[in-house]
Amino acid sequence: MEAENKSEVMPMPRIGDKAPAFSAVTTQGDIHFPDQYAGSWVILFSHPADFTPVCTSEFMTFATLEEKFAEANCKLVGLSVDGLYSHIAWLRTIKEKIEYRGMKNVEVKFPLIEDITMEVAKKYGMIQPGESSTKAVRAVFVIDPKGIIRTIIYYPLSLGRNFDELYRVLVALQTADEFSVATPADWQPGDDVIVPTAGSCGVAKERMDGNEEMTCYDWFFCTKKIDKETILKSVLKK
Ligand code: BEZ
C-alpha cells in the first residue's frame, strides 16, 4: 500500500533541472517539449480553468505582449487541465466578445496545451492539492535555450500574474548570462548590476582601494553600470 502511494508522488522540477519532456496536443497542433524549443527561451505557464475571469484577463494580457517576448527570443506555451474544444471555444470567445482594459479582438496565437489527464501538470508540480486537486495553480516556468529551468514562480488561483515582472525576469536572466553579473532588488534595465564577489583578499583590497568602473558598498558588494541600450541590444539580438 505504501509503495502504491509512493509511486503517485512525483518530484517537483527545480531550478537548474532539465525541463521534463512531454508531447501534447495544443490549440496550435502537437508539440514536443522542450526539444522543439531548443535555441529559444520559453515561458511554460499553467492556468486553473478556461472561461474564468482571472485567466481571461491573463490570456488577453499575455497575448498582447507575445510579440514583445518574441523579440527577446522567448516563446509562450500555456496549459490547463481542460480539453482542446474548451480551449478553442474560450479563445474564440476572447477574440470575438471580450473587451478589457483597452484590449479587444485579441487573438491568442501561442499554443495552449490540453491536459485532461493532468500528466503534464503533475510532471511540473502544477497540481497543488492544498489549493485545488482538480485545477492547476498559476505556475510559471522560465526555460532557457538549452532546456534548463531557470526560474519557477507559483501564484494561487485568485491572483493574476504581473506580466511586466515576467518580462523583467526574462531580461534579467539573459543579462546575467550575457554579462556574468547578478541583478539587485527591483532591478530594471539601465540600473547598476552586481559584479561577482571578490574571490581573494587581493581583489577585495583592490576594490576597496577604489576602482573607477565599480561602486563598492563593501568588499563583497560591488556594482557597475551597464546602460539600458546595451542591455536591450543584447536581449533583442537573440
Ligand atoms: C479565475 O481565473 O478567475 C479563477 C479560476 C479558478 C479559481 C478562481 C478564479
Side-chain angles (χ1 to χ4, degrees):
M1 191 62 187
E2 201 180 308
E4 249 174 52
N5 285 341
K6 269 187 188 159
S7 70
E8 285 179 14
V9 176
M10 287 206 183
M12 308 234 315
R14 294 164 298 192
I15 291 175
D17 287 353
K18 180 98 184 141
F22 63 84
S23 294
V25 172
T26 85
T27 49
Q28 300 291 328
D30 293 356
I31 61 168
H32 305 283
F33 200 89
D35 293 0
Q36 187 178 321
Y37 293 89
S40 295
W41 289 80
V42 190
I43 295 184
L44 172 67
F45 68 102
S46 56
H47 71 276
D50 299 344
F51 292 102
T52 50
V54 179
C55 300
T56 300
S57 71
E58 289 193 318
F59 264 67
M60 293 184 76
T61 307
F62 226 175
T64 303
L65 292 172
E66 185 182 8
E67 191 58 38
K68 183 173 173 178
F69 280 83
E71 284 167 4
N73 189 29
C74 182
K75 296 185 170 150
L76 311 177
V77 180
L79 174 148
S80 82
V81 301
D82 297 289
L84 182 65
Y85 299 135
S86 165
H87 284 345
I88 293 170
W90 180 44
L91 299 188
R92 285 176 61 84
T93 301
I94 286 176
K95 181 163 166 27
E96 288 163 13
K97 299 205 179 123
I98 313 281
E99 184 170 349
Y100 172 69
R101 295 183 81 183
M103 297 178 281
K104 64 175 183 182
N105 205 23
V106 173
E107 192 171 346
V108 175
K109 296 182 185 148
F110 55 81
L112 174 50
I113 295 168
E114 80 151 9
D115 192 30
I116 304 173
T117 61
M118 298 190 185
E119 188 191 327
V120 180
K122 284 182 180 165
K123 249 184 198 177
Y124 275 82
M126 293 164 172
I127 304 295
Q128 306 204 350
E131 181 74 345
S132 169
S133 52
T134 56
K135 295 177 173 67
V137 294
R138 300 181 197 281
V140 180
F141 290 83
V142 185
I143 297 164
D144 75 13
K146 292 183 177 143
I148 303 298
I149 296 171
R150 299 290 299 277
T151 297
I152 303 173
I153 311 174
Y154 289 107
Y155 298 73
L157 304 186
S158 63
L159 176 57
R161 285 162 276 213
N162 181 318
F163 293 93
D164 292 334
E165 168 62 3
L166 299 187
Y167 187 75
R168 190 189 78 92
V169 167
L170 176 69
V171 173
L173 289 170
Q174 294 187 5
T175 299
D177 286 0
E178 181 81 15
F179 299 99
S180 301
V181 293
T183 46
D186 295 334
W187 179 83
Q188 294 287 347
D191 292 348
D192 288 0
V193 295
I194 295 176
V195 297
T197 300
S200 70
C201 293
V203 173
K205 181 174 181 321
E206 266 171 33
R207 288 191 181 175
M208 291 312 287
D209 284 348
N211 180 324
E212 277 175 18
E213 285 169 15
M214 290 181 198
T215 304
C216 288
Y217 302 93
D218 203 335
W219 68 270
F220 64 90
F221 182 6
C222 297
T223 63
K224 69 173 182 183
K225 293 207 172 312
I226 305 182
D227 62 64
K228 188 172 177 177
E229 289 67 38
T230 307
I231 299 279
L232 295 184
K233 219 189 270 173
S234 97
V235 167
L236 301 180
K237 82 171 173 0
K238 294 193 172 102

